[in-house]
Amino acid sequence: MVFLKLITVLLPWPLKRWVLIHFFKYEIHPSARIGLSWIYPKKLIMDLNSSIGHFNVAVHLDLISIGNQSTIARSNWITGFPTNTNSKHFSHQNERKSSLIIGQHSSITKKHHIDCTNVIQIGNFVTIAGYSSQLLTHSINIELNIQDSHPITIGDYCFVGTASTILGGAILPPYCVLGASSLLNKAFTIPYRLYGGNPAREIKELSKDYKYFTREVGFVF
């Protein structure tokens, strides 16, 4: 199977798509595309005009789902810890899912590390911008001395600045900006806000008239 995966990565896209659909049972729209990347979750769903660029790695996930017009650019490291194993890690979390779910018209740019030990839900019209952000759903629970995990949720029309860190259990509400180099480690609830700092806090209200929050196409020219 490893040999088949390696050969598949190197195939021209039409043949690669055929192999991924027929041998790996992935759901890939005819207009979707994957570049020179190692993308092998248990289940992959790619909607209309979605894309994954070059030099991405996605391993040990139950599911990657990419919505209409959404993109994962290049050189991203996407990891998980699959369910239904004999490992003692996360055995206390029977309902845990190792999944990356991306809505419509959203973008993950370059060189980010995305840990999907638990679900990462990215909404519609979201930008994970710049470089070197970390979305980390798992960590050691110091109180219980176990590996623990919690989901991350990023709402619709959010903008995550470069080199930010988002920890398990964090929520960035819809129509919000997370400033560059911030640490988001809690669940916020108020939309139309700039959050930032280490740890992140509410900095100011943002106007509902900002064109980023009303755009009908995800790509920003």
Side-chain angles (χ1 to χ4, degrees), residues 122-134:
I122 297 174
N124 304 317
F125 294 90
V126 172
T127 308
I128 311 297
Y131 305 87
S132 303
S133 286
Q134 298 184 76

Side-chain angles (χ1 to χ4, degrees), residues 9-26:
V9 168
L10 301 174
L11 292 174
W13 173 240
L15 185 55
K16 180 191 297 188
R17 178 177 178 270
W18 187 92
V19 172
L20 292 174
I21 290 173
H22 289 86
F23 285 88
F24 293 90
K25 307 303 180 183
Y26 291 164

